[in-house]
Amino acid sequence: MNTNTNDDAWARPSVRLHPRPGTPAITDSHIGGPVLWPRDEPWPHCDGTTHTDQGFDTGDTRGVRNAFTAAVQLYRRDYPELPFPDGTDLFQLLICPLFHEPDVNTFWPDVRLVWRDSTTVTEVLAAPPTPAAFEPMHLARPCVLSPCRRVEHPTVHEAPEGASRSDWSEVAVSTKIGGWAFWYASGPGDMECPECGAYRELLLALHTYERAEPEFCFEPEARPVGWDFNDGALNVWVCPENVHHPVKVMSE
Ligand SMILES: [Zn+2]
Ligand SMILES: [Zn+2]
């Protein structure tokens, strides 16, 4: 854990994505739209070993092998803030839309991260396979994005002891790249990368609600994407040393 109390050490760039329903193309950055996937590359499936017997709409799905669903696609030209490995220019996030065993006391979908070189994709998969089972609350409708850039400081849950926090910026409670997670009740828990020990950093926060200014004011179209992560966010953290090290996912 970083114990430096210098404010600059805790300021992180963040990109609020401001999703709204639309018709994104396969060559666009988007949520819930068509993804650029090579026709000859197998589509990822969840092996079901961490599925639960308590699905809202699906009941017992323990052991059910399930196709992931395409959730997010972001190009490097639009979002250079993402930690693209050398030789890649396209980030894709897939979701297994069932409930998985929790680390603590709630359930969330599982995720798969893909970092790809879009220029090598010539033959495109027409459509991903349909999942065998899904919770409707975990599906996204196609949305286009209107990004805005900000700097965020952590909430008290991740701030260093002794930090004054008086001039610190707010943590956005909305879908975003980077920045810091908004914690309602719990805290970050085990953030150390099991591979190398680095403190993992927030890659992406997918929120149930998009909040307008001021924060905590719900707009009429407060759920543009349509998904629901326990009324909060599905947060994904990656290792700052290597995005291929184990990711942490948590709904809060
Ligand atoms: Zn699954
Ligand atoms: Zn690591």
Side-chain angles (χ1 to χ4, degrees):
M1 178 98 190
N2 186 350
T3 53
N4 186 346
T5 54
N6 181 316
D7 283 2
D8 290 345
W10 296 86
R12 284 189 185 163
S14 171
V15 187
R16 290 179 64 167
L17 296 178
H18 297 294
R20 65 178 195 281
T23 52
I26 200 166
T27 50
D28 292 335
S29 297
H30 60 69
I31 292 176
V35 291
L36 188 81
W37 195 274
R39 198 173 68 183
D40 59 0
E41 183 175 313
W43 185 261
H45 284 69
C46 175
D47 64 11
T49 52
T50 60
H51 290 163
T52 75
D53 60 351
Q54 296 175 46
F56 288 167
D57 286 77
T58 54
D60 186 352
T61 57
R62 290 173 296 181
V64 171
R65 185 174 180 272
N66 206 31
F68 278 84
T69 56
V72 181
Q73 164 168 294
L74 301 170
Y75 283 90
R76 187 173 200 157
R77 60 165 194 268
D78 300 324
Y79 301 101
E81 295 88 351
L82 285 166
F84 285 98
D86 288 347
T88 68
D89 67 345
L90 176 58
F91 167 74
Q92 295 165 323
L93 180 93
L94 312 180
I95 282 179
C96 174
L98 292 173
F99 287 121
H100 297 75
E101 289 292 347
D103 288 334
V104 280
N105 56 5
T106 186
F107 300 124
W108 49 81
D110 200 5
V111 301
R112 185 72 58 88
L113 277 53
V114 179
W115 304 90
R116 126 176 8 270
D117 177 359
S118 69
T119 64
T120 64
V121 182
T122 48
E123 305 265 324
V124 177
L125 182 70
T130 305
F134 61 88
E135 295 289 341
M137 65 191 288
H138 289 158
L139 301 185
R141 71 168 66 95
C143 286
V144 295
L145 308 174
S146 305
C148 70
R149 266 86 181 165
R150 296 189 179 194
V151 168
E152 292 185 349
H153 292 85
T155 63
V156 67
H157 297 87
E158 288 182 280
E161 270 184 55
S164 74
R165 303 184 64 244
S166 56
D167 300 327
W168 282 17
S169 50
E170 297 266 308
V171 169
V173 187
S174 59
T175 297
K176 64 187 176 184
I177 294 167
W180 293 87
F182 182 80
W183 299 100
Y184 287 95
S186 63
D190 178 20
M191 279 296 160
E192 286 190 359
C193 172
E195 196 93 7
C196 73
Y199 194 82
R200 284 176 285 189
E201 296 179 357
L202 186 64
L203 177 78
L204 197 62
L206 305 174
H207 270 264
T208 303
Y209 299 101
E210 300 299 326
R211 287 170 171 149
E213 303 297 342
E215 301 289 354
F216 301 108
C217 169
F218 288 89
E219 288 290 288
E221 292 183 56
R223 288 183 54 195
V225 184
W227 52 27
D228 180 355
F229 302 118
N230 305 315
D231 281 341
L234 187 73
N235 291 313
V236 179
W237 292 266
V238 293
C239 176
E241 301 299 324
N242 187 333
V243 295
H244 299 299
H245 285 177
V247 304
K248 182 179 176 76
V249 56
M250 191 172 171
S251 180
E252 165 74 9

